[in-house]
């Protein structure tokens, strides 16, 4: 019978607040005792189709499935977009006969939701133009490690209201954090994401605040996050964007407005000394390599949850 739609991870909003909490708990368990999960996904096959470059996402997904007993097959789609050689639905109806799960990195978010809608196996968004859910899950996992909990945490994102920003807003809302986003005018997050995040935050005691002033946004923050101002696929706008984003650079001067024990975060890859200075990126407050490591642990939890291989899971809605 047809897979229930909640078993895909196209958006953070595919998870309920309870499922997000369970996923975080599972990620902590997996990181603490990886051997307990060594055969949890024995012989399960995971296929990855990537239309864009990747270091972290590809290697952490492959490592995650391999160390759970499964296997990864990587298909480079950088030279031919999905849907070009055959229809997305024909593609999906082939893949579901062989594979247990599909991981997609695309330009258009609709490519992912369309494949998810017609395939019987779970689909994971490994970055689209709209969201980067696996990143945000790993990042808030990293914050939980550092601060004990994300609830009530003052989380500030400075820069482009992009895919990473969208998933961070939704995750912050689900975990009851206070999320402030400062972007230049014209680069705010998408309205549909803002509305969804506010709606979720109202149920968790979190909050979403949007502004244009980076100093005001960072003042009192526990965590300061930024990403490139020119994402993959927007390279032609790089020259136009550089001066607009200059006041949003995370440097020691801006970090001085945050809490004394504030952390700095970035999904990487960074454009060094553009959106963040070397001093901050390589400084004592930087969590960037912990974030990168945690991509692997968090994605193990995601795979376990979506494939039902978890020892403990509360993903009951999807049974
Ligand atoms: N942060 C992240 O997704 O990195 P990659 O683009 O290298 O996968
Ligand atoms: N916002 C960036 C994230 C890369 C991991 C991009 O989409 O290129």
């Amino acid at each position: 019978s047809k897979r229930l739609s909640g078993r895909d991870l196209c958006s953070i909003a595919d998870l309920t607040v309870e499922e997000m909490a369970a996923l975080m708990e599972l990620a902590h368990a997996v990181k603490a005792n990886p051997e307990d999960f060594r055969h949890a996904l024995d012989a399960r096959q995971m296929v990855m189709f990537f239309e864009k470059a990747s270091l972290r996402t590809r290697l952490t997904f492959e490592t995650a499935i391999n160390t759970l007993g499964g296997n990864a097959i990587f298909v480079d789609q950088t030279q031919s977009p999905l849907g070009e050689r055959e229809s997305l639905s024909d593609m999906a109806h082939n893949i579901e006969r062989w594979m247990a799960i599909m991981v997609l990195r695309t330009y258009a978010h609709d490519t992912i939701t369309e494949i998810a809608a017609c395939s019987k196996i779970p689909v994971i968004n490994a970055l689209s133009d709209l969201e980067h859910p696996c990143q945000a899950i790993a990042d808030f996992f990293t914050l939980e490690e550092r601060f004990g909990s994300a609830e009530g945490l003052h989380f500030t994102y400075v820069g482009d209201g992009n895919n990473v920003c969208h998933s961070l807003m939704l995750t912050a809302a689900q975990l009851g954090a206070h999320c402030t986003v400062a972007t230049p005018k014209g680069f705010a997050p998408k309205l549909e994401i803002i509305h969804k995040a506010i709606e979720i935050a109202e149920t968790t005691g979190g909050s979403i605040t949007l502004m244009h002033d980076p100093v005001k946004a960072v003042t009192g923050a526990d965590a300061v996050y930024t990403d490139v101002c020119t994402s993959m696929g927007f390279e032609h706008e790089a020259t136009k964007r550089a001066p607009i984003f200059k006041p949003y650079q995370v440097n020691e001067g801006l970090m001085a407005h945050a809490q004394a024990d504030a952390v700095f975060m970035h999904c990487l890859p960074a454009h060094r000394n553009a959106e963040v200075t070397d001093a901050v990126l390589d400084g004592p407050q930087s969590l960037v390599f912990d974030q990168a490591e945690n991509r692997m642990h968090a994605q193990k939890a995601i795979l376990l949850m979506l494939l039902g291989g978890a020892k403990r899971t509360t993903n009951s809605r999807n049974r």
Side-chain angles (χ1 to χ4, degrees), residues 53-58 105 132 135 232 267-269 295:
S54 171
L55 176 72
R56 281 146 291 270
T57 307
R58 176 181 180 177
R105 171 169 282 203
H132 196 359
Q135 180 71 48
M232 290 183 279
C267 56
L268 304 179
R295 293 292 304 279

Side-chain angles (χ1 to χ4, degrees), residues 59-112:
L59 294 183
T60 55
F61 261 113
E62 293 201 12
T63 310
I65 191 89
N66 288 342
T67 52
L68 294 170
N71 180 60
I73 299 172
F74 183 83
V75 186
D76 181 349
Q77 294 287 155
T78 56
Q79 306 308 312
S80 67
L82 296 171
E84 200 175 76
R85 182 162 179 261
E86 64 188 313
S87 78
L88 296 177
S89 96
D90 283 348
M91 188 186 153
H93 291 139
N94 279 266
I95 294 163
E96 68 193 15
R97 299 295 180 104
W98 312 310
M99 300 291 155
I101 193 158
M102 214 186 307
V103 179
L104 304 172
R105 171 169 282 203
T106 65
Y107 287 95
H109 186 71
D110 288 350
T111 302
I112 299 179

